[in-house]
Amino acid sequence: MRASLLLLSCILFFHRKLCGVISLSDPTSSPPRGWNSYDSFSWIVDEQAFLDNAVFLAKNLYQHGYEYVVVDFLWYRKNVDGASEDSYGFDYIDQWGRPFPDPDRWPSSRGGKGFAEVARKVHEMGLKFGIHVMRGINKQAVDSGTPILDVLKNSTYVEGNRTWTAKDIGITWRTCAWMQHGFMSVNTDIAAGRAFLRSLYQQYAEWGVDFVKLDCVFGEDLDTKEIIAVSELLRELDRPVLFSLSPGTSVTPSMAGPISSYVDMYRITADDWDKWTDVASHFDISRDFAAANLIGTKGLHGKSWPDLDMLPLGWITDPGVREGPHRKSNLTLDEQKTQVTLWSMAKSPLMFGGDLRNIDRTTLSLITNPTLLDINSFSANNKEFPFIFATRDIKSRYRPLNNRLTSQNLMVKPDKKVLGFTSCESVKAKGWFTKKDERDLNHICWRSDSTSQNPPYCLHNRIPNLTQDQLIIHKEEHVRLFQLVTKQTPDTCVATSISRKRTALEKERTTSSICTTHAAQMWGLNNNGTLVNSYSGLCATMISEKDNTIEGVRSWIATGRRGEVYMSFFNLNPQTTVISARTSDIAKLPAVIISLLLHFAATTTASGPCKFPAIFNFGDSNSDTGGLSAAFGPVPPPNGETFFVKPAGRYSDGRLMIDFMANTLGIPYLSAYLDSMGSNFSQGANFATAGSTIRRPNTTWFQTGYSPFSLDVQTWQFSQLISRSQSFQDQGLLKDKFPKEEDLSQALYTFDIGQNDLTAAYFSNMTSEEVKAVVPNIIDEFTTAIKNVYGKGGRFFWIHNTGPVGCLAYVLDRLTLRAPEVDRVGCGSPFNEVARFFNTKLNETVNQLRKDLPLAVFTYVDVYSLKYELISHASKHGFELPLVSCCGHGGKYNFNIHHMCGSKITVNGTEVVIGKSCKNPSKRIVWDGIHYTEAANKWVFDRIVGGKFSFPPTPLRMACKKTVN
């Protein structure tokens, strides 16, 4: 069975500096992520389908770093009968020969707007907009002789008293080899050619394009001059537009090296589709680029990234068809995990290709796996690890593994040589020479190995019928050009490219077609024995024709941003294989000093207490230190009277549990993120607001009292704080007001939320069974939030379960109970039973998170049991009237929803406070019918701080330590 396994197998003794948050001025500090329409829609995607996918990405993937939505090719082609990938005469072009969106598929483009309206909507979602473009100029424009726009003068381009047109700049014998009826190269050696490209890319920028994917200029279709010309034009723009190259058929590190600094990402394979053979074919090429140190090297806008192509997962279409998404990916789940793991370990850009409107939960979980995304964004020293052992006999897993495999171990088949190609810099390209046969005809031959008994492989060379313009151009290339034919097919010429896109697995071999004057059929023999192709710049060689089946085992290794070491094992065999590696071999890697963890559960390397530099808190009013009051008005007195002597943003007479936690850890009371006055976030921030829910509310605060700052919004605010803090740090501003970059992975992340989700459901007239039915969805949202924080560097999580809501006055006063539904204390049994159900599911989720996020430490804290114990045995613990509010007005519980704590009424023109505090809050448990008094908060905190009510039993000061199970 084919599968991949990612393990945290070791941890560094010496941690490197954190990689940090992506800088706003460096959009390519990590590999870009997003969605591309090609795998699901081929070329027929329309505006509505595109925007629907963008909406899903904005809501569900943006928080995981997916920010680009890209329209793939032929957005300018009419979707009518007769139109196809290489049809002619179906494209919309403007008066200057530039492609324009098909108005039937992109109705907002009408009136000359182009993609401006689509880009605006994408930007409003917080995303970035990208388009696919082809090499050079459209053949329709060349055939029509459209004028060229001089954008510097906003008029027709004129030079040397001559008005230039598309016919003057299109190189007709350099059409895209697999779209010969569509596009051709532009002559960038002349000013008119560069003027056309400037008008083209300036228009894209004016539309609001943030990402261009330039096709048919790389790999077999290499056009270095156009790549550099476009790169220079993009550099002129007043904002970054990312530059991507595609496809990467036959790309080698030596070809990519000189190009990488001009682009942001570049494909290094042909098109990848949902075949296992396509996925497996990426192991060699990714290994080679890692070995050449080309991962994350200098690029156009920061760094450049070798691109392994889109992820063809979920609901997709077929290559080359005029049909939208209609089938599921053919890859098995193990094969999909293998693909996403390799892409992440190799730090490839992650562009999802499936239709997001129909994505399934499994696929969504896979592409948002926090550990893989963390590796993809922040790891370093990524490379294939060759020293691994394997056996296919699973029964012998405890015996010595004596079959030592390296990354080169594949299934070996009988070898046969065929004509292929490689980089001209490779020694494998040298070995061609001229020879005359018995009829005095010229041949180009390959020098055979000295041990070979076979005669040299030879091709007949013939002089092509070039036009005068072609002769001029080729003369400048200083090489005598000829065509190559075989004895078997004298009317067909050898070429480096084919009339369609290759898939990733297809061999890098030459093809043949009817002889023309296309540059793909033009060859030249250099003095060093290399046979170079005029179109691609690649050189011919003799390659092994082996079976395409790739088998064996592979492994990759990488260093995380906190110094941890990741290893991934890949089984490419069709049967189960046991794979292992020796610690001593891992230790041989440069700059890696490691300590092997004998179990997947980690133990700490130090015995002392944790030194948390900061706390970041997420929650509701149980831990709100001023968020809601900053947003909607101050908390009135007598809130805060016991400790702060005045209102302090807290819904209590004094301190909350989060305050006692901060004090215990030596951290100042947390500033509310929403409070702009006098806040200091250098040692953490509080994102909690009173009334917050885990799920996003569908009502306003003014209607129901539930906060608009739900948990997902709080995690977005956390991301914003990190991003802006890094920006200020980069500028040397306010360094003492914001958290340090290195503190993020060492901070404590606390969560106390969920109570309002349950009460909101009850207040909307749901039954207990109906409330239980929505709990799984609530927990799913909670899981997403945790993973988002983890993805931003969070590693130490302290999670409170929810309290006995059935004992709070605001529930008992508003909801009707029958006598059997009231327990001996006076609490509502059905409400507490649902709270316990929620807590059970929460605990199960935390257990699963421990498995999903092996680098994190989770402490689950049972505050429910303590709060219920305090309420049910109040007098035993020194308290009184456990269900009655200390601060409020009227009724059985001293609670009135219309006259709450601190409320006033007007009597004879004078304001009178009726929501008054009781005489001795220190003897009371419930403060205002919803929240707890400082005394009750302190009582609960004193019992959780030591770890007795935590799972695993973990004192607060030790919450950075993992416990061996």
Side-chain angles (χ1 to χ4, degrees):
M1 56 182 293
R2 302 183 181 102
S4 65
L5 178 62
L6 176 69
L7 303 177
L8 170 62
S9 60
C10 44
I11 185 169
L12 292 182
F13 283 130
F14 303 105
H15 287 210
R16 294 176 174 85
K17 187 178 184 293
L18 292 179
C19 294
V21 182
I22 297 172
S23 170
L24 297 177
S25 60
D26 183 4
T28 57
S29 60
S30 62
R33 292 182 197 145
W35 175 81
N36 182 290
S37 64
Y38 180 68
D39 284 350
S40 46
F41 292 93
S42 187
W43 60 272
I44 65 169
V45 65
D46 59 35
E47 184 169 338
Q48 188 59 57
F50 178 80
L51 290 176
D52 287 346
N53 274 272
V55 168
F56 183 93
L57 186 140
K59 290 182 177 179
N60 300 281
L61 292 175
Y62 176 73
Q63 61 264 41
H64 299 285
Y66 291 83
E67 61 177 334
Y68 292 93
V69 283
V70 183
V71 182
D72 212 272
F73 76 150
L74 303 184
W75 38 266
Y76 35 80
R77 185 153 296 176
K78 300 175 184 177
N79 184 17
V80 296
D81 291 343
S84 64
E85 287 188 358
D86 192 26
S87 55
Y88 178 79
F90 293 92
D91 294 348
Y92 284 94
I93 57 175
D94 67 10
Q95 61 178 319
W96 306 106
R98 301 174 299 186
F100 197 83
D102 171 14
D104 290 329
R105 288 192 287 144
W106 303 91
S108 70
S109 68
R110 292 189 172 98
K113 295 179 181 178
F115 275 126
E117 184 64 17
V118 173
R120 181 188 66 79
K121 292 179 179 179
V122 168
H123 293 157
E124 286 179 349
M125 300 177 200
L127 306 178
K128 295 179 180 178
F129 176 63
I131 60 173
H132 173 288
V133 297
M134 290 295 296
R135 77 185 303 161
I137 190 169
N138 193 289
K139 189 174 186 296
Q140 289 178 208
V142 174
D143 291 346
S144 301
T146 57
I148 296 169
L149 174 63
D150 185 342
V151 296
L152 302 178
K153 299 178 180 179
N154 197 29
S155 62
T156 302
Y157 185 81
V158 177
E159 181 188 5
N161 296 321
R162 173 182 174 185
T163 299
W164 292 71
T165 71
K167 287 184 176 181
D168 300 315
I169 63 172
I171 305 177
T172 56
W173 60 95
R174 290 189 64 86
T175 55
C176 176
W178 47 269
M179 196 187 286
Q180 297 191 27
H181 297 96
F183 290 83
M184 66 185 69
S185 292
V186 161
N187 188 347
T188 56
D189 291 332
I190 59 176
R194 296 191 296 274
F196 171 78
L197 292 178
R198 178 175 285 105
S199 74
L200 191 64
Y201 284 89
Q202 183 165 311
Q203 175 170 263
Y204 297 152
E206 290 171 353
W207 285 348
V209 170
D210 306 295
F211 179 105
V212 290
K213 175 183 175 182
L214 179 57
D215 209 334
C216 204
V217 292
F218 198 44
E220 292 182 0
D221 308 294
L222 183 64
D223 190 335
T224 303
K225 291 181 177 180
E226 182 164 335
I227 293 172
I228 295 175
V230 172
S231 179
E232 291 173 345
L233 291 171
L234 294 177
R235 197 182 296 273
E236 293 176 3
L237 301 176
D238 59 2
R239 61 182 178 84
V241 174
L242 263 61
F243 188 19
S244 169
L245 301 182
S246 174
T249 313
S250 308
V251 168
T252 61
S254 60
M255 178 194 295
I259 294 298
S260 61
S261 63
Y262 292 99
V263 300
D264 297 301
M265 52 187 276
Y266 54 94
R267 281 270 297 284
I268 59 174
T269 67
D271 287 357
D272 172 69
W273 277 94
D274 56 326
K275 299 177 181 177
W276 166 245
T277 48
D278 278 11
V279 175
S281 70
H282 288 76
F283 279 90
D284 285 350
I285 190 68
S286 56
R287 173 202 62 205
D288 295 344
F289 272 76
N293 296 315
L294 286 171
I295 297 177
T297 190
K298 181 182 178 182
L300 175 60
H301 292 106
K303 296 181 179 180
S304 65
W305 304 99
D307 179 14
L308 298 180
D309 201 11
M310 289 167 281
L311 298 170
L313 310 179
W315 202 249
I316 60 176
T317 187
D318 294 302
V321 300
R322 191 180 139 216
E323 185 177 4
H326 60 276
R327 64 177 180 86
K328 290 184 178 180
S329 173
N330 288 319
L331 295 174
T332 67
L333 181 58
D334 279 344
E335 291 167 351
Q336 293 178 46
K337 289 179 178 178
T338 297
Q339 180 169 34
V340 177
T341 302
L342 176 62
W343 265 235
S344 298
M345 293 294 291
K347 301 201 74 168
S348 169
L350 298 179
M351 293 290 177
F352 186 72
D355 184 2
L356 291 173
R357 300 172 302 179
N358 294 297
I359 193 170
D360 58 274
R361 184 179 295 272
T362 300
T363 304
L364 181 61
S365 176
L366 180 59
I367 65 173
T368 57
N369 182 283
T371 301
L372 291 179
L373 295 185
D374 198 73
I375 294 170
N376 182 252
S377 288
F378 301 113
S379 60
N381 307 313
N382 306 64
K383 62 187 66 179
E384 187 173 86
F385 180 71
F387 307 113
I388 51 178
F389 295 87
T391 176
R392 295 177 184 174
D393 180 9
I394 195 166
K395 294 181 180 179
S396 65
R397 62 186 303 168
Y398 297 111
R399 301 172 190 170
L401 299 174
N402 53 18
N403 178 21
R404 185 161 191 156
L405 300 175
T406 71
S407 61
Q408 308 300 322
N409 285 117
L410 304 177
M411 178 179 286
V412 178
K413 299 287 184 178
D415 197 4
K416 184 177 78 172
K417 298 293 185 180
V418 295
L419 185 61
F421 42 82
T422 185
S423 167
C424 293
E425 302 298 322
S426 172
V427 295
K428 296 179 181 179
K430 299 176 182 179
W432 294 97
F433 62 96
T434 58
K435 175 185 177 182
K436 289 184 180 288
D437 66 7
E438 63 278 3
R439 293 180 295 170
D440 204 34
L441 296 176
N442 288 327
H443 288 77
I444 305 296
C445 299
W446 176 256
R447 200 180 307 279
S448 301
D449 186 276
S450 58
T451 61
S452 174
Q453 302 298 317
N454 298 322
Y457 178 86
C458 294
L459 294 163
H460 171 60
N461 67 319
R462 48 177 272 181
I463 304 302
N465 297 319
L466 299 179
T467 66
Q468 187 62 33
D469 287 343
Q470 289 172 323
L471 287 171
I472 293 173
I473 294 295
H474 294 318
K475 183 178 180 180
E476 292 176 355
E477 294 177 353
H478 301 290
V479 64
R480 183 186 175 194
L481 294 180
F482 47 81
Q483 293 172 315
L484 297 172
V485 298
T486 65
K487 292 181 180 180
Q488 292 80 11
T489 56
D491 295 327
T492 59
C493 291
V494 176
T496 59
S497 193
I498 55 179
S499 58
R500 59 175 175 83
K501 280 190 174 183
R502 297 184 193 269
T503 61
L505 182 66
E506 289 184 278
K507 288 289 185 179
E508 300 169 358
R509 63 180 66 168
T510 57
T511 60
S512 59
S513 56
I514 299 298
C515 295
T516 67
T517 57
H518 195 282
Q521 295 181 353
M522 304 297 170
W523 299 83
L525 183 63
N526 294 322
N527 293 332
N528 64 355
T530 56
L531 183 62
V532 62
N533 180 262
S534 176
Y535 176 75
S536 68
L538 295 170
C539 281
T541 187
M542 299 303 294
I543 62 174
S544 297
E545 171 71 349
K546 294 182 180 179
D547 187 271
N548 285 339
T549 301
I550 298 179
E551 295 187 7
V553 295
R554 300 291 181 99
S555 178
W556 272 69
I557 195 165
T559 306
R561 56 174 163 171
R562 284 154 299 280
E564 71 275 21
V565 175
Y566 295 96
M567 286 193 70
S568 56
F569 295 117
F570 300 94
N571 174 26
L572 310 187
N573 297 312
Q575 62 274 92
T576 299
T577 303
V578 179
I579 310 171
S580 64
R582 290 174 176 167
T583 310
S584 57
D585 287 330
I586 302 172
K588 294 175 184 177
L589 295 176
V592 176
I593 306 174
I594 56 128
S595 172
L596 183 66
L597 300 183
L598 299 179
H599 303 282
F600 296 138
T603 59
T604 181
T605 58
S607 58
C610 309
K611 296 181 180 179
F612 295 114
I615 298 175
F616 295 98
N617 182 65
F618 304 83
D620 51 30
S621 54
N622 288 311
S623 59
D624 181 3
T625 57
L628 194 74
S629 67
F632 294 106
V635 175
N639 287 286
E641 65 177 11
T642 298
F643 182 80
F644 300 101
V645 190
K646 60 181 180 180
R650 294 155 174 81
Y651 290 87
S652 178
D653 63 313
R655 291 167 292 180
L656 313 177
M657 277 193 284
I658 189 65
D659 294 316
F660 293 117
M661 293 172 66
N663 186 64
T664 299
L665 297 175
I667 291 173
Y669 297 136
L670 298 183
S671 296
Y673 174 77
L674 294 173
D675 192 352
S676 60
M677 304 301 291
S679 292
N680 188 315
F681 303 120
S682 61
Q683 291 187 268
N686 194 348
F687 303 94
T689 63
S692 287
T693 52
I694 295 174
R695 293 202 304 175
R696 196 177 302 173
N698 55 11
T699 60
T700 69
W701 182 79
F702 300 99
Q703 292 172 315
T704 60
Y706 289 103
S707 169
F709 305 107
S710 51
L711 185 56
D712 59 341
V713 176
Q714 293 180 28
T715 61
W716 297 343
Q717 292 171 336
F718 171 62
S719 299
Q720 179 79 343
L721 176 64
I722 294 175
S723 178
R724 298 184 69 181
S725 297
Q726 185 61 47
S727 178
F728 283 127
Q729 295 281 355
D730 292 344
Q731 300 174 59
L733 302 174
L734 304 173
K735 289 186 176 181
D736 60 339
K737 298 292 185 182
F738 294 98
K740 296 178 182 178
E741 179 182 338
E742 57 267 27
D743 289 348
L744 298 177
S745 65
Q746 302 301 315
L748 182 64
Y749 294 83
T750 55
F751 290 78
D752 190 335
I753 193 168
Q755 173 178 313
N756 291 322
D757 290 271
L758 304 183
T759 59
Y762 275 118
F763 294 158
S764 64
N765 297 319
M766 284 188 179
T767 65
S768 291
E769 290 305 313
E770 289 172 333
V771 177
K772 282 184 177 181
V774 301
V775 165
N777 180 257
I778 297 171
I779 296 297
D780 284 346
E781 295 291 331
F782 181 84
T783 302
T784 298
I786 292 288
K787 290 183 176 180
N788 288 345
V789 173
Y790 179 92
K792 296 298 182 181
R795 289 299 179 266
F796 307 126
F797 296 87
W798 181 273
I799 300 170
H800 290 185
N801 64 13
T802 198
V805 296
C807 299
L808 298 176
Y810 85 118
V811 173
L812 295 172
D813 183 69
R814 295 179 63 181
L815 300 175
T816 302
L817 290 168
R818 294 179 292 107
E821 295 176 325
V822 179
D823 68 12
R824 63 178 180 81
V825 182
C827 300
S829 297
F831 312 135
N832 284 345
E833 197 274 327
V834 169
R836 291 192 297 272
F837 176 79
F838 172 90
N839 291 337
T840 298
K841 296 301 179 183
L842 179 64
N843 192 20
E844 292 173 357
T845 296
V846 172
N847 286 332
Q848 184 60 46
L849 285 168
R850 291 189 181 102
K851 299 175 183 178
D852 294 343
L853 308 176
L855 298 182
V857 180
F858 290 93
T859 305
Y860 173 87
V861 185
D862 182 16
V863 298
Y864 178 97
S865 296
L866 284 168
K867 288 181 177 180
Y868 190 75
E869 165 64 22
L870 179 59
I871 291 170
S872 58
H873 299 96
S875 59
K876 172 184 174 181
H877 300 298
F879 291 86
E880 61 187 19
L881 301 175
L883 302 182
V884 179
S885 303
C886 173
C887 183
H889 177 73
K892 180 180 179 180
Y893 304 105
N894 193 33
F895 176 85
N896 186 320
I897 190 65
H898 303 294
H899 299 291
M900 298 177 67
C901 180
S903 63
K904 301 176 182 179
I905 62 173
T906 302
V907 179
N908 298 325
T910 303
E911 280 192 332
V912 178
V913 176
I914 61 171
K916 297 179 180 181
S917 172
C918 60
K919 292 182 179 181
N920 193 356
S922 65
K923 293 292 185 181
R924 304 293 280 273
I925 297 172
V926 180
W927 169 243
D928 57 2
I930 305 174
H931 311 100
Y932 291 78
T933 61
E934 175 178 291
N937 286 325
K938 180 68 165 58
W939 188 91
V940 174
F941 172 76
D942 287 344
R943 284 149 183 81
I944 66 173
V945 68
K948 185 177 180 181
F949 289 85
S950 301
F951 180 80
T954 306
L956 177 62
R957 290 178 177 272
M958 304 294 285
C960 67
K961 316 292 184 181
K962 271 196 175 181
T963 302
V964 177
N965 297 324

